[in-house]
Each structure stands twice: as C-alpha cells, then as structure tokens.
C-alpha cells in the first residue's frame, strides 16, 4: 500500500476519477479519528530492492512525485492533510494502521497546527544579462590598460546587480514572513541544472491561513515588476509540505529529477 497523506475524516468527496501512483484508484482508510489516503501498488516495483533501484531512475522518480503530488493536492482542496514522504509503502493495511497508531499524537499535533492553512512558494530569479537594457556600445580598448579597465567596470556592474538582487530578496522575504504564520528558506535552485535563466536568489515557502491567501497573493503580485531584471514567481496553494516533519517535498523530488535529467 502506498500512503500519500494522513488527515482527519473529511466530508467532501474527492474527485471520482482521481488516481494515484500507477493510475491506481485512491481510497481512504480510517483508523480512530485519523484517515490515511492510499492506493495499492505492485510489489514488483515497491518491494525494498526494486524500490531502491527505482529511486535512482529520474523518469520513474518524476512520475511518482507527480502522482504523489496530484493526490495530495486533490486532498488539500477538501481538508488540511499531512503529506507523507515520497514512496511511503506498507505490505498491507495493517501496516498502515500500525503507523497511525504509533504516530497518532504527532499526527494530531501537526494537523492542529496546519488546520485551515496552506503553503505558498515564492521564488526570485535574477534574470540573465540578455534581459537587461542594452548597454551603450563601448569603444574597442586602445590599450591593455583600457581592456583591464573595461573588465573591472563590467565586474563591478555585475556585483551591483547581485547585491541589489540580494537586498530585494531579503526585503521581500521579510515582508512576506510578516504576513505568514511560518516561513522556510529552501536552498537556492541551481540555475544551470534547472535550465531557468539567471540566478535563483530566493526560494522560500510560507504557511498562510487559507482565509488570508488572497491578500498574500496580492502582496506578492505587487512586487512583480518592481525590478526589471528580477522575476518573482508565486506557486500554490499547496498542502503544507515544508512545515511537517513527515513529508519529503514531492515537488522538490520532481524538480530535482527534472534538474538532473541530462
């Protein structure tokens, strides 16, 4: 059994056509006052040895992460789930019940903290030089000294852009943190691997009450275009992957698979 998340019992129905890993139908397993959302997966793929091999397969990892994320996202529309780590599997339902029984207190505390809240992701990207206004053409260096002087001026210009981007990212993070109940900074994405233009200077997640989400989105939108060479990207709302110790961010797993794919 593949387990996507644990939540409290919910009344609204999940979409009927929702499927999980391997296109298997998703179902809810209730144990006491908690519910595990799961689907059946074949042992040939999820027993210990084949699973270890699959986790090295970037295509398999990306597809599994997408399926995991699809189910958690659908669940997040009807309740506030605790997402579990990618590829959390058990031999049968009794194993799932044992997990819930053993971790019931931690699940309840986490659910209390996440109830009515969603996660928003914000990234800031310093665009590549090609998006900058075209610099006036410089005369060809007349001497070696001129050449070195132009190189130094170019380096200072880049340093100025980097410092301005860092200041903008820090100010934005501080402002957004004031409008969130919690915030988490993720490591910057490696732009050369992600194939995103420019340099990632902010990669953060914010835990926001669902009722305050519209204001949070407007706040982020107002910052877009403040700096012509800085791109601000907002994603979400997500289940609170970044704010639970039970989850390994499925979105990150998918991103990493995409980044590392040659």
């Amino acid at each position: 059994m593949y387990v996507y998340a644990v939540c409290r019992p919910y009344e609204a129905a999940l979409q009927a056509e929702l499927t999980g890993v391997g296109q298997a139908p998703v179902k809810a397993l209730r144990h006491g006052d908690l519910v595990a959302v799961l689907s059946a997966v074949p042992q040939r793929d999820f027993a210990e040895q084949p699973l270890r091999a699959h986790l090295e397969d970037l295509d398999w990892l990306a597809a599994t992460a997408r399926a995991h994320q699809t189910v958690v996202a659908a669940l997040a529309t009807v309740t506030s789930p605790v997402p579990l780590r990618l590829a959390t599997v058990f031999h049968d339902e009794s194993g799932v019940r044992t997990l819930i029984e053993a971790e019931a207190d931690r699940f309840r505390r986490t659910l209390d903290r996440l109830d009515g809240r969603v996660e928003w992701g914000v990234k800031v990207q310093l665009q590549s030089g090609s998006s900058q206004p075209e610099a006036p053409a410089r005369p060809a260096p007349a001497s070696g000294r001129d050449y070195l002087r132009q190189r130094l001026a170019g380096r200072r210009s880049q340093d100025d852009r980097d410092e301005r981007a860092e200041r903008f990212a820090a100010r934005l993070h501080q402002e957004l943190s004031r409008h969130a109940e919690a915030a988490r900074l993720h490591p910057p994405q490696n732009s050369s691997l992600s194939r995103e233009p420019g340099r990632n200077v902010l990669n953060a997640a914010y835990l926001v009450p669902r009722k305050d989400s519209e204001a949070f989105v407007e706040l982020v939108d107002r910052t877009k275009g403040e700096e012509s060479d800085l791109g601000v990207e907002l994603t979400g709302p997500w289940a609170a992957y970044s704010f639970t110790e039970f989850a390994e961010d499925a979105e990150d797993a998918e991103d990493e698979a995409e980044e590392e794919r040659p």
Side-chain angles (χ1 to χ4, degrees):
M1 288 293 172
Y2 186 110
V3 186
Y4 303 89
V6 171
C7 57
R8 298 195 190 281
Y10 48 91
E11 295 182 357
L14 292 174
Q15 46 189 286
E17 66 276 14
L18 179 65
T19 57
V21 175
Q23 300 297 308
V26 173
K27 67 176 185 178
L29 174 68
R30 182 164 181 168
H31 186 83
D33 61 344
L34 297 172
V35 171
V37 177
L38 47 80
S39 66
V41 287
Q43 190 169 4
R44 65 176 181 276
D45 288 326
F46 285 88
E48 184 176 351
Q49 290 298 331
L51 178 58
R52 188 176 297 125
H54 279 317
L55 292 176
E56 301 297 323
D57 180 340
L58 297 181
D59 290 327
W60 187 94
L61 184 61
T64 302
R66 280 195 291 271
H68 183 106
Q69 199 173 79
T70 297
V71 173
V72 174
L75 194 58
T77 65
V78 300
T79 186
S80 297
V82 175
L84 298 193
R85 292 179 183 277
L86 194 71
T88 298
V89 292
F90 297 88
H91 286 297
D92 51 32
E93 291 185 0
S94 66
V96 182
R97 292 183 186 279
T98 299
L99 167 72
I100 296 177
E101 192 73 33
E103 301 287 353
D105 288 343
R106 282 208 305 159
F107 279 129
R108 292 189 190 103
R109 285 197 301 272
T110 305
L111 287 166
D112 287 344
R113 187 164 61 88
L114 301 183
D115 186 37
R117 295 157 178 85
V118 293
E119 175 177 329
W120 291 94
V122 176
K123 296 177 185 176
V124 175
Q125 205 79 6
L126 175 59
Q127 305 296 340
S128 59
S130 60
S131 63
Q132 285 289 286
E134 198 166 324
R138 290 176 176 163
S143 64
R145 179 172 296 183
D146 283 347
Y147 172 75
L148 292 175
R149 189 179 297 121
Q150 288 185 8
R151 284 199 61 182
L152 181 59
R155 190 179 304 142
R156 284 175 176 165
S157 175
Q158 183 60 50
D159 288 346
D160 288 345
R161 290 184 67 215
D162 289 345
E163 289 176 8
R164 182 166 47 81
E166 298 288 352
R167 286 198 300 271
F168 176 86
R171 178 166 54 84
L172 178 60
H173 177 61
Q174 189 176 33
E175 177 70 9
L176 296 181
S177 297
R178 281 201 294 267
H179 291 78
E181 290 191 355
R184 181 179 171 187
L185 286 171
H186 296 297
Q189 285 187 316
N190 187 325
S191 299
S192 64
L193 295 177
S194 66
R195 286 169 284 183
E196 291 289 335
R199 184 168 69 87
N200 182 220
V201 292
L202 178 66
N203 184 15
Y206 303 90
L207 186 67
V208 179
R210 195 183 295 271
K211 64 181 177 56
D212 297 334
S213 284
E214 185 175 344
F216 187 85
V217 171
E218 289 176 356
L219 180 62
V220 176
D221 285 345
R222 283 201 296 272
T223 69
K224 295 180 178 177
E226 278 189 16
E227 302 282 352
S228 60
D229 55 343
L230 293 176
V232 179
E233 179 189 7
L234 174 72
T235 61
W238 309 105
Y241 285 99
S242 301
F243 301 95
T244 166
E245 58 194 299
F246 293 95
E248 178 183 39
D249 197 331
E251 183 189 15
D252 282 351
E254 185 177 354
D255 286 347
E256 287 171 12
E258 293 292 338
E259 288 179 2
E260 294 177 14
R261 184 170 292 112

